[in-house]
Structures are given as structure tokens and as C-alpha cells.
Amino acid sequence: SFPEDGTVSAKTVSVRETPAGESTTVSCTGTARSNQALIQTIDRLSTARGGSGLLRGPIRGGSPMQFTFSFRWDEKGAR
């Protein structure tokens, strides 16, 4: 879902599974060169099979801007 031209880059990705294994939460922080590129990336992630409940965190700065978001991942839904 991230553009290959580097306009949006992940700096940290955290994957946490619930103890019972019923769901996985993915959290991501990174930088984006433009608001438009970030919104397009978030839109692609929010419609990806297996992903749901995308929550945007704070977006700070200009170019580059810093962002945070998280979402639930269900591997069964991705197949």
C-alpha cells in the first residue's frame, strides 16, 4: 500500500497479537512528503483485504510530515 517512489515511508511498524490470537493490531509511524500522498496511502490500507478499523493518529509538520496510524489485521480475511 505504500508508494514505491518513497513519498510515504514507514519508520516503525509494530505488530501485536492478542493473547488468545483472535486479532492483530498493526501500528505504524513514518513520514510523508505530501498530504495527498499520505491520504492515498491511508485509503489503500483502509480498503485492503484483511485490514479493518484504521485509526489515524496525529499528523505533524510540513514537508516531510510525521504521521501515526493503526489498524486491525485479520489474516483469514486477507486470503
Side-chain angles (χ1 to χ4, degrees):
S1 294
F2 283 80
E4 291 185 26
D5 65 1
T7 54
V8 180
S9 300
K11 296 295 181 188
T12 63
V13 177
S14 170
V15 179
R16 296 180 188 228
E17 191 170 311
T18 59
E22 58 249 356
S23 69
T24 301
T25 300
V26 179
S27 300
C28 179
T29 64
T31 59
R33 290 189 215 150
S34 75
N35 192 48
Q36 180 181 6
L38 178 58
I39 289 171
Q40 289 172 345
T41 301
I42 289 172
D43 286 346
R44 282 192 296 274
L45 283 168
S46 67
T47 59
R49 287 177 47 116
S52 65
L54 192 134
L55 299 172
R56 287 191 230 183
I59 299 172
R60 296 188 179 107
S63 182
M65 58 186 64
Q66 299 174 342
F67 65 85
T68 302
F69 61 77
S70 63
F71 59 94
R72 286 185 310 279
W73 178 259
D74 177 8
E75 190 172 322
K76 294 176 208 163
R79 295 181 183 156

